[in-house]
Amino acid sequence: MTASKKITSSLVEQQVSKSYQVNLIEDDNVTTSECAATSTGQHLIADFYGASQLNDIELMEDALTQAAATAGATLLHIHIHTFVGGGITGVALLAESHISVHTWPELEYAAFDAFMCGDAQPEKAIALLESIFTPSRIELKNIARG
Amino acid sequence: MTASKKITSSLVEQQVSKSYQVNLIEDDNVTTSECAATSTGQHLIADFYGASQLNDIELMEDALTQAAATAGATLLHIHIHTFVGGGITGVALLAESHISVHTWPELEYAAFDAFMCGDAQPEKAIALLESIFTPSRIELKNIARG
């Protein structure tokens, strides 16, 4: 194990909106990138239209956690922010890259990204998210990175 | 101001790698999405090849902060993680969506995303990142979201 430190600075603690955060730095398995040997990755860009439950922060945290797990990815950190007036923005940082989400509940629209290098399977993450948020239509792009 | 709460759970505090985090929830300006009226956004996917300084966590935090500012975006939260053995993964969550980064210093490669809705200008974020990490080549994709 190497020397390490964590710097956390909450500059202003005035809480005017709700956020949820989980830090997961569990063991030596997450201290090295899961994709050190190659930078190649698969980045799925998924626009969900006609989706539901896009304003539930606890559900979103659970959905991102499940999406990472089902893709075979290692979760490092989740941060989810809800806006007053509606909408969620959030990210799950992975040892393999990230899953992100931005929602507009009033438009029944959500922008998901599942970007993963190595052996992780981002298409399984998107399928899981589809099963939870039940969009009537998905526009999906698959972009090779690295 | 509405009722709000923050839930922070550090499940395991064993610090085997280094992470940097800043929470910025500053004022009422960030409590509503900057793009509530429309979900349309511009998502720039930028692959940097032949780049330098890809393993410096403090520089990366500063770079993401500057990139958000120069794009005219509002920063909500930054989390950056460095891997033992090299490489950074990180995200800046914005009121307008996000900037993310994943680096492979040994390959001089970095995968940046700058996804912003509304009036923010993600191309300015990428230009700023280019000036800091000086890639010899960039592959850039511009994807309309929403």
Side-chain angles (χ1 to χ4, degrees):
Chain A
M1 194 178 301
T2 64
S4 62
K5 64 175 178 173
K6 182 178 182 182
I7 307 165
T8 300
S9 170
S10 292
L11 296 186
V12 180
E13 284 296 329
Q14 181 187 15
Q15 294 299 320
V16 290
S17 55
K18 182 179 176 185
S19 66
Y20 183 97
Q21 180 174 297
V22 177
N23 288 304
L24 301 159
I25 303 178
E26 291 175 320
D27 55 37
D28 284 341
N29 291 332
V30 301
T31 64
T32 54
S33 167
E34 288 297 317
C35 317
T38 173
S39 64
T40 56
Q42 188 180 4
H43 188 162
L44 298 185
I45 304 264
D47 289 327
F48 283 16
Y49 299 92
S52 59
Q53 303 189 96
L54 297 180
N55 214 28
D56 184 332
I57 193 169
E58 283 81 12
L59 178 67
M60 188 59 74
E61 191 268 344
D62 193 44
L64 295 186
T65 302
Q66 286 187 52
T70 196
T74 301
L75 193 57
L76 297 175
H77 170 84
I78 289 185
H79 189 90
I80 302 176
H81 182 92
T82 54
F83 296 104
V84 173
I88 285 176
T89 195
V91 69
L93 280 178
L94 311 173
E96 295 82 1
S97 290
H98 72 263
I99 303 170
S100 62
V101 60
H102 310 287
T103 77
W104 283 258
E106 72 281 12
L107 301 175
E108 301 181 341
Y109 169 74
F112 284 102
D113 284 44
F115 175 13
M116 300 181 193
C117 58
D119 294 330
Q121 297 175 282
E123 66 279 9
K124 290 190 175 178
I126 298 298
L128 187 282
L129 295 167
E130 180 181 6
S131 74
I132 293 173
F133 300 105
T134 62
S136 57
R137 182 168 64 92
I138 297 179
E139 287 193 9
L140 188 67
K141 294 179 180 69
N142 186 344
I143 297 173
R145 305 291 298 263
Chain B
M1 194 178 301
T2 65
S4 61
K5 63 175 178 172
K6 183 178 182 182
I7 307 164
T8 300
S9 170
S10 293
L11 296 185
V12 180
E13 284 296 329
Q14 181 188 15
Q15 294 299 320
V16 291
S17 54
K18 183 180 177 185
S19 66
Y20 183 98
Q21 179 174 299
V22 177
N23 288 305
L24 301 160
I25 303 177
E26 291 176 319
D27 55 38
D28 285 341
N29 291 330
V30 301
T31 65
T32 55
S33 166
E34 288 297 319
C35 318
T38 172
S39 63
T40 55
Q42 188 180 5
H43 189 161
L44 298 184
I45 305 264
D47 288 328
F48 283 16
Y49 299 92
S52 59
Q53 303 189 96
L54 297 180
N55 214 28
D56 184 332
I57 192 169
E58 283 80 12
L59 177 67
M60 187 59 74
E61 191 268 344
D62 193 44
L64 295 186
T65 302
Q66 287 187 52
T70 196
T74 301
L75 193 57
L76 298 175
H77 169 83
I78 289 185
H79 188 89
I80 302 176
H81 182 91
T82 54
F83 296 104
V84 173
I88 285 176
T89 196
V91 69
L93 279 179
L94 311 173
E96 295 82 2
S97 290
H98 72 264
I99 303 169
S100 62
V101 60
H102 310 287
T103 77
W104 284 258
E106 71 283 11
L107 301 175
E108 300 182 339
Y109 168 74
F112 284 102
D113 284 44
F115 176 12
M116 299 181 195
C117 58
D119 295 329
Q121 297 175 282
E123 65 279 9
K124 290 190 176 177
I126 298 298
L128 187 282
L129 295 167
E130 180 182 5
S131 74
I132 293 173
F133 300 105
T134 62
S136 56
R137 182 168 64 91
I138 297 179
E139 286 193 10
L140 187 68
K141 293 180 180 69
N142 186 344
I143 298 173
R145 305 291 298 263

